[in-house]
Amino acid sequence: MSKKLVLLLALVMSFSLVAFGCGGGKTKIEVKTPEQAAKMEGDPVQNLAVKEKEWLGRLDAVRGDISKSYSEWEQGKTTKEDFMNQLKKSNGTVRGMSKEYDLHMEANPFPADRKNEEFYKDGLAYGNKLRKTANDFIFMATEGILDTQTKKLKPLTDEQIKGLYQNYMVNKYDEYRAKLVPALDKVNKK
C-alpha cells in the first residue's frame, strides 16, 4: 500500500506543478541580433567618440605587443618566425575591431553632413585610418605584396619589413593617433 501512496503523492505533486506552473517568475531571455546589440541611443558623434576611445585603447595595446615583439626580433632576442606569429595573433584583434566599427556604423548611421565637419574629417576619421594602418602592415609583413608581373603575393625581405614597420607602425600610427586623440578629448568635453 505504501508504494501506491507514494505513487499517488508523486502524481498529485506533478499535476500541481504543471497546473500551477513550476517556474514561478520565469526570466525572459531576449536574444538580440548583433545590429541590435550595437545600436546606441543619443548623439551619433558622441557615440562614435565613445567607441573610438575604446578601440584606441585596445589598438594601442596591440601596437605595444607588436612593438615589443619587433624590438626583440630586431635585437636578435627572438626569431622572425616569433615576430610573424605575434603579427598573426594581433591580426585577429585588429580585424575584429574593424568589423566592430563596420557594425557600429551600420547600426548607428553617422549623418553624412557631419562627416564634413572639422572634428570628424580632421579627427574622428583617424580612428578607422589607425586600424587600417595596423591591418595593412600586418598583412604586408605576413603575406607580402602583390607582384605586378606574376600577380601573386611576394614575401618581403627583413629590411622591407623593417621599413614598413617604421613607416606604418611608427610614423603613420603616431601621426593618425595625434589627430584622433584631441578630437576624442574635444567631443568628450561636450
Side-chain angles (χ1 to χ4, degrees):
M1 173 108 166
S2 68
K3 286 185 180 180
K4 287 184 181 180
L5 185 59
V6 170
L7 184 59
L8 183 60
L9 281 172
L11 285 172
V12 169
M13 285 177 53
S14 296
F15 177 74
S16 297
L17 287 174
V18 170
F20 298 111
C22 57
K26 291 184 181 179
T27 304
K28 233 183 191 181
I29 298 175
E30 184 179 340
V31 178
K32 293 183 176 184
T33 65
E35 291 81 9
Q36 290 169 327
K39 182 73 177 153
M40 296 175 77
E41 297 297 322
D43 180 36
V45 174
Q46 186 71 34
N47 292 342
L48 181 57
V50 166
K51 295 303 288 181
E52 285 296 356
K53 188 170 186 167
E54 173 195 328
W55 293 322
L56 179 60
R58 290 170 42 206
L59 191 58
D60 280 347
V62 168
R63 181 194 189 198
D65 291 342
I66 291 171
S67 178
K68 180 178 182 261
S69 183
Y70 174 81
S71 292
E72 290 173 351
W73 170 53
E74 189 178 42
Q75 295 168 7
K77 294 179 182 177
T78 62
T79 65
K80 179 180 178 182
E81 185 179 338
D82 292 332
F83 178 55
M84 291 297 124
N85 287 336
Q86 176 60 53
L87 291 179
K88 289 175 184 174
K89 179 181 167 190
S90 297
N91 188 42
T93 305
V94 173
R95 283 186 166 208
M97 282 186 273
S98 293
K99 288 178 183 178
E100 288 175 37
Y101 171 81
D102 292 342
L103 181 60
H104 175 81
M105 295 304 271
E106 181 181 321
N108 305 283
F110 199 85
D113 61 323
R114 303 218 46 203
K115 286 185 177 182
N116 293 324
E117 293 178 19
E118 183 181 326
F119 69 86
Y120 179 80
K121 69 180 183 177
D122 294 336
L124 288 180
Y126 283 91
N128 198 35
K129 290 179 182 185
L130 272 173
R131 289 182 293 278
K132 184 172 177 356
T133 295
N135 186 58
D136 289 351
F137 168 72
I138 292 169
F139 181 82
M140 288 186 286
T142 58
E143 302 298 322
I145 56 173
L146 188 65
D147 184 322
T148 55
Q149 294 175 343
T150 64
K151 303 293 184 209
K152 294 182 181 179
L153 290 175
K154 178 181 170 185
L156 300 177
T157 65
D158 290 358
E159 291 307 311
Q160 288 173 318
I161 292 171
K162 290 175 182 179
L164 276 178
Y165 175 82
Q166 187 65 38
N167 186 33
Y168 281 75
M169 296 307 292
V170 177
N171 298 339
K172 283 185 180 182
Y173 193 96
D174 288 344
E175 175 189 341
Y176 295 167
R177 190 180 192 289
K179 292 179 180 181
L180 174 62
V181 170
L184 294 176
D185 292 341
K186 191 176 195 179
V187 173
N188 286 325
K189 286 181 183 176
K190 290 183 180 180

